[in-house]
Amino acid sequence: MDYVNHTWTQEFILSGFTTTGALRPLAFLGVLCTYLLTLTGNLFIIILVHADSGLSTPMYFFISVLSFLDLWYVSTTVPTLLQTLLHGCSQISSVMCFFQLYVFHSLGMTECYLLGVMALDRYLAICCPLRYHALMSRQVQLWLAGVTWVIGFSAALVPASLTATLPFCFKKVTHYFCDLAPLMQLSCVDTSWHSHIYIVVIGIINTCNLILILGFYGAILKAVLKLPSAASRAKAFSTCSSHMTVVTLFFGSAFIVYVGPPEIRAEGRDKLIALVYTLFTPFFNPIIYTLRNKEIKEAVGRVFQRIRTKWKRS
């Protein structure tokens, strides 16, 4: 690391992954293809939900909101990942670095709350079917979606602002984007109390949302087991399995990096684990929600049928 004589640095250097030779262009092409497929898949879900009236339900509305969030979430970190894979160590201005840090954590916390809202939606649909549409009206859907964004972007102000005010004596960030732990390692002062604050803020938010989600699904499981037929139980479980898969991927990897043992960060494994929730989770979300979803497949058929009909008339 390069020592800097002043406590304010105009730029940082992202080290990224140490790839050399033929592996570097292969890694670049792999990440680029995954990124483009992620954008395509999430855009496809957003357009499909808004184009087909059969998907005008609260569940698919929240799935489209999640897809919209993932578009921005993956676009926050992947461009700098691609840059480091293509050019090696890459410079980033301090302003852009702290902006990336804030937006990344804002979107991450927003997704935490949104996954909790989606669990609430499934709980109301299965446990309160007669009052479901009254409780989850269009106005309530918009309000819940908006609240997740407001709370997420407000909560991220704490770790981002505390990190931005630190004095930095080094500027080489051992990551492919500006994150909390790699930036704190560059500070001239002891950051142990900052780490405790981050763990409290991020850990409490993640833990509370996860407990809430598990509570909802515990109640769902109890209600589903009381259903009379195996077919009705299978149908109820199928509407929840996709969401639980997404929750496991997102929360599992995030907990390991931000609340896990320091040895993970010291050995650089956090960069690999971070790929799960920064790249692969947004990539798999559209696949998880569409691959085994009969309603999505039927909606695709209806949309393409309308397109063919209009094409023949023209």
Side-chain angles (χ1 to χ4, degrees):
M1 293 185 180
D2 300 321
Y3 185 80
V4 181
N5 291 326
H6 45 78
T7 58
W8 172 256
T9 180
Q10 298 296 322
E11 63 183 24
F12 292 99
I13 299 174
L14 298 174
S15 63
F17 289 99
T18 55
T19 53
T20 58
L23 186 60
R24 177 175 290 181
L26 289 176
F28 175 83
L29 288 175
V31 172
L32 179 61
C33 289
T34 304
Y35 176 53
L36 294 177
L37 288 172
T38 301
L39 297 181
T40 303
N42 284 288
L43 280 172
F44 171 76
I45 286 184
I46 294 170
I47 294 171
L48 184 65
V49 169
H50 288 82
D52 187 80
S53 58
L55 300 181
S56 57
T57 63
M59 181 178 77
Y60 290 108
F61 168 75
F62 290 123
I63 289 176
S64 68
V65 174
L66 178 64
S67 294
F68 178 74
L69 188 148
D70 279 341
L71 287 175
W72 294 101
Y73 188 66
V74 73
S75 298
T76 304
T77 58
V78 171
T80 52
L81 171 59
L82 290 171
Q83 186 176 3
T84 56
L85 287 174
L86 189 62
H87 302 291
C89 293
S90 301
Q91 294 181 346
I92 182 172
S93 68
S94 57
V95 173
M96 288 302 300
C97 183
F98 295 130
F99 180 73
Q100 182 186 51
L101 173 71
Y102 171 65
V103 174
F104 171 74
H105 281 278
S106 296
L107 294 171
M109 291 184 183
T110 300
E111 184 157 343
C112 289
Y113 286 109
L114 184 60
L115 291 174
V117 168
M118 294 172 74
L120 170 64
D121 171 69
R122 291 298 82 210
Y123 167 78
L124 294 176
I126 294 174
C127 299
C128 309
L130 299 178
R131 296 188 296 156
Y132 173 60
H133 291 289
L135 293 172
M136 196 61 72
S137 64
R138 188 65 175 179
Q139 185 177 0
V140 172
Q141 296 171 42
L142 294 171
W143 183 82
L144 287 172
V147 166
T148 60
W149 286 78
V150 171
I151 296 178
F153 275 75
S154 300
L157 283 171
V158 176
S161 59
L162 285 176
T163 305
T165 55
L166 286 172
F168 294 98
C169 290
F170 304 92
K171 60 181 182 179
K172 190 171 183 180
V173 182
T174 57
H175 215 302
Y176 57 87
F177 70 97
C178 293
D179 203 1
L180 292 172
L183 283 174
M184 286 194 298
Q185 293 173 0
L186 310 181
S187 177
C188 304
V189 298
D190 180 29
T191 59
S192 56
W193 76 275
H194 291 78
S195 300
H196 293 310
I197 291 176
Y198 300 155
I199 291 174
V200 168
V201 173
I202 297 174
I204 286 179
I205 288 175
N206 277 276
T207 303
C208 289
N209 275 283
L210 186 57
I211 291 173
L212 187 69
I213 291 170
L214 294 176
F216 283 136
Y217 276 101
I220 289 171
L221 178 62
K222 185 178 179 180
V224 168
L225 292 176
K226 293 181 180 179
L227 294 176
S229 66
S232 58
R233 289 195 294 270
K235 183 178 179 180
F237 278 126
S238 67
T239 64
C240 302
S241 59
S242 299
H243 182 248
M244 283 304 298
T245 304
V246 171
V247 167
T248 303
L249 280 172
F250 183 82
F251 280 94
S253 55
F255 265 112
I256 291 173
V257 171
Y258 293 104
V259 192
E263 290 78 12
I264 294 176
R265 292 182 289 274
E267 296 176 8
R269 296 176 185 172
D270 56 334
K271 289 189 287 187
L272 290 172
I273 299 172
L275 285 174
V276 176
Y277 58 86
T278 60
L279 179 62
F280 294 119
T281 298
F283 169 72
F284 283 119
N285 282 357
I287 300 173
I288 292 169
Y289 282 117
T290 59
L291 194 61
R292 297 173 56 192
N293 194 310
K294 184 179 177 182
E295 292 178 332
I296 290 284
K297 294 176 182 178
E298 292 174 350
V300 172
R302 288 192 296 267
V303 169
F304 277 107
Q305 182 61 41
R306 290 206 305 268
I307 293 173
R308 283 196 297 266
T309 303
K310 291 181 180 179
W311 179 264
K312 290 178 181 179
R313 289 177 180 176
S314 61

